[in-house]
Amino acid sequence: IEVWVDLSTDSHSANNTQSISVTNNPVISSFPYFQDFESGQGNWFSGGTRNSWEYGMPSSAKINKAASGSRAWKTRLSGNHNDDEASYLYSPCLNIGGMSQPTLSFMMAIDLESCEGNLCDGAYLEYSYDGASWVKLGQTGQGVNWYNKSYGDHAVWSASNYTRWHVATIPLPLPGPGDGSNLRLRFVLSSDLYNNREGIAIDDIHIYDKVRDISSSASPVESATVTVGSGSSWHDFTANNELIASVNPGNNNLGQTSVHTYVHQGSARFNDGQYYLNRNFTIKPANSGVSAPVTIRLYFTDQDAEAAIQAEGCVSCAKPASVLHLGISKYSHPDRSKEDGTIDNNNAGNWSFIQAANVTKRPYGKGYYAEFSISSFSEFWFSTAGMNYNAPLPVTLERFTAVRQENKNVVLSWSTASEVNFSRFEIEAAAGNEALKLNRFVKIQEIHGRGGENTGNHYRFVDDNPFKSGNYYYRLKLVDRDGSFSYSDLRSVIFEDGFAPTLYPNPSASGLFNLAFQIPESEFISYRLTDFSGKVLKESTAQGNGFIRKEVLDLSSPMYGPGIYLLETRLPAGRKTFRLVKP
């Protein structure tokens, strides 16, 4: 809606027009609701100040794929979110009044600047029943993976490099007296003035009535037996009123069907050169011969997945980078008693593997369920490759440095510990902080790998472009033979004075100030805080890292009363003094 005025007595035309946007959303009243954004934006939309939310195919260095399919919402699909951003991703209207335990689960990936002591950048979720007044949903530690930081009474997601897709779950509030029937949700991103990262990505939004959660019993074996007749309805298998599996017979009459889940309580397990999940299953129907595919849901917790993702102990073993990489290994044996959930005796039967792309992972409760179709029953194991297959090792990058020379050349050197099925290194550079934020990296050279398992190789390249200035950022793109790739960490080189020291907020009613600066790793900044009489209150030194850094000056204590303070900073390039105002 746009309104404009034209008054003959008004010579200032800049404020003659006012525009607002109104989105007419449908009301979602059928549940469970699932939105993976593959068919469009799903009536989700964004707004706010310096808004960087975008819908489409993520292609940033770290968050470069959707949780499922190819599309999601992310704060700038290719690059970083904006500085000083206060933006929102809004849901359609949700009429959840018919559910007894309405629950929200979704997949998220996070890469936000995380500061100690005060809030730099953070994300959180709000809800509203009138579309005007918004309330934060949940607090730190509630739900599953719900807010990891608290600054006073302000709870947020604020974590760097947590870029693997993972579940977040929280109960939804039912409407109270006087509330409308339509709940709305919005994801909020709030950032400060400096040092942006890739931000937050959202996908696979699941809203449902959570009558049962996923089983997390400490018992090593849990079992359930259900009579599954012909039809196409879901049959839940539960232990202690918690879910272990669900079966949709697809019009097959399976008869009395037994499901066992085996939960290993120790450290992550590995076999045939790969780690696999600590939870596995067997499904044994009375009538095992089927004429049409049967659809299975196997439930596992986020804790199960994290144990495999972060597994240690087997240096040569492959492990899943995220839940998205998990497929299903099936083991069957003519003697059904051999299908007992134990991998040690799986040597005389048949292994098969269902690729990760054919196994749908959906966020639910304290974890996920994996849904897939089968035409035979067996043991089921979560792994990234078939359990009778030695998974190839990825390239292992041990060291990567970028060193500036006197003539503006930059020497890039790196080492690998292993290269199997590896193709090449692509050296990429971004010129300046704005190019870094927008992910505008340019390939400047390509070097083919030399190969070798458990043998190291050393590489060197000199960037002799004579026109470099300001700040440069380098990274390696590691490309495998099948076309898949990953990136190294960034390395920075500063050709001039970098980013001069800056202080914000100033004045600061809370007494928390940020000193932001950017200097090379070889340099230090020292600073001294005094009161107006010259009395020294604080002194400290910080080392640069090539990127914009922040030091927190905490004057919140009552010992620092209201007034004016002086902060002197010292760098090799000179000194700078700030007047700090605490009202």
Side-chain angles (χ1 to χ4, degrees), residues 292-354:
V294 175
T295 306
I296 303 296
R297 288 176 180 169
L298 302 180
Y299 296 85
F300 61 101
T301 66
D302 187 55
Q303 183 178 359
D304 294 333
E306 286 295 307
I309 292 169
Q310 301 187 48
E312 296 179 346
C314 177
V315 177
S316 62
C317 289
K319 56 186 178 182
S322 75
V323 171
L324 312 186
H325 295 84
L326 291 171
I328 299 291
S329 286
K330 292 174 76 272
Y331 176 79
S332 58
H333 194 284
D335 180 358
R336 301 300 299 276
S337 66
K338 301 294 185 182
E339 297 174 6
D340 55 4
T342 302
I343 201 169
D344 295 338
N345 60 3
N346 289 359
N347 48 23
N350 296 311
W351 282 102
S352 61
F353 183 64
I354 304 174

Side-chain angles (χ1 to χ4, degrees), residues 279-482:
R279 188 179 300 240
N280 52 285
F281 302 80
T282 62
I283 300 179
K284 298 181 180 181
N287 305 319
S288 57
V290 297
S291 58
V294 175
T295 306
I296 303 296
R297 288 176 180 169
L298 302 180
Y299 296 85
F300 61 101
T301 66
D302 187 55
Q303 183 178 359
D304 294 333
E306 286 295 307
I309 292 169
Q310 301 187 48
E312 296 179 346
C314 177
V315 177
S316 62
C317 289
K319 56 186 178 182
S322 75
V323 171
L324 312 186
H325 295 84
L326 291 171
I328 299 291
S329 286
K330 292 174 76 272
Y331 176 79
S332 58
H333 194 284
D335 180 358
R336 301 300 299 276
S337 66
K338 301 294 185 182
E339 297 174 6
D340 55 4
T342 302
I343 201 169
D344 295 338
N345 60 3
N346 289 359
N347 48 23
N350 296 311
W351 282 102
S352 61
F353 183 64
I354 304 174
Q355 299 277 350
N358 296 323
V359 180
T360 299
K361 272 76 69 173
R362 184 164 293 187
Y364 181 94
K366 62 172 70 80
Y368 316 85
Y369 63 74
E371 183 175 316
F372 54 98
S373 295
I374 57 172
S375 55
S376 62
F377 298 89
S378 59
E379 292 179 350
F380 300 91
W381 307 78
F382 286 93
S383 58
T384 55
M387 297 290 278
N388 60 340
Y389 169 74
N390 289 317
L393 293 170
V395 61
T396 303
L397 188 66
E398 286 195 324
R399 181 181 62 88
F400 174 40
T401 60
V403 180
R404 175 188 170 181
Q405 308 296 298
E406 291 296 329
N407 57 1
K408 281 197 172 184
N409 286 354
V410 176
V411 176
L412 305 174
S413 59
W414 63 98
S415 301
T416 62
S418 176
E419 298 175 29
V420 177
N421 293 325
F422 178 68
S423 174
R424 65 190 183 275
F425 302 94
E426 295 182 3
I427 304 169
E428 300 182 342
N433 291 338
E434 186 66 15
L436 175 66
K437 180 178 77 173
L438 298 176
N439 201 32
R440 290 177 178 166
F441 280 83
V442 176
K443 185 172 81 170
I444 60 175
Q445 185 59 276
E446 181 178 298
I447 296 178
H448 287 274
R450 303 188 187 117
E453 182 175 350
N454 299 323
T455 57
N457 292 312
H458 302 280
Y459 299 85
R460 186 176 185 271
F461 170 74
V462 178
D463 180 8
D464 57 2
N465 171 18
F467 303 107
K468 296 187 288 293
S469 63
N471 308 318
Y472 256 62
Y473 300 92
Y474 294 91
R475 70 186 184 190
L476 300 176
K477 184 177 181 180
L478 290 66
V479 185
D480 294 335
R481 290 177 184 172
D482 62 1

Side-chain angles (χ1 to χ4, degrees), residues 136-148 157 168-171:
K136 180 176 288 186
L137 181 58
Q139 292 298 322
T140 305
Q142 293 182 347
V144 177
N145 294 330
W146 204 260
Y147 304 149
N148 66 307
W157 288 295
T169 296
I170 196 80

Side-chain angles (χ1 to χ4, degrees), residues 462-511:
V462 178
D463 180 8
D464 57 2
N465 171 18
F467 303 107
K468 296 187 288 293
S469 63
N471 308 318
Y472 256 62
Y473 300 92
Y474 294 91
R475 70 186 184 190
L476 300 176
K477 184 177 181 180
L478 290 66
V479 185
D480 294 335
R481 290 177 184 172
D482 62 1
S484 60
F485 62 88
S486 61
Y487 288 102
S488 70
D489 290 336
L490 291 174
R491 297 293 181 262
S492 68
V493 176
I494 299 176
F495 290 95
E496 294 171 355
D497 293 336
F499 178 80
T502 303
L503 190 77
Y504 73 98
N506 192 17
S508 173
S510 68

Side-chain angles (χ1 to χ4, degrees), residues 72 252 308:
N252 295 285

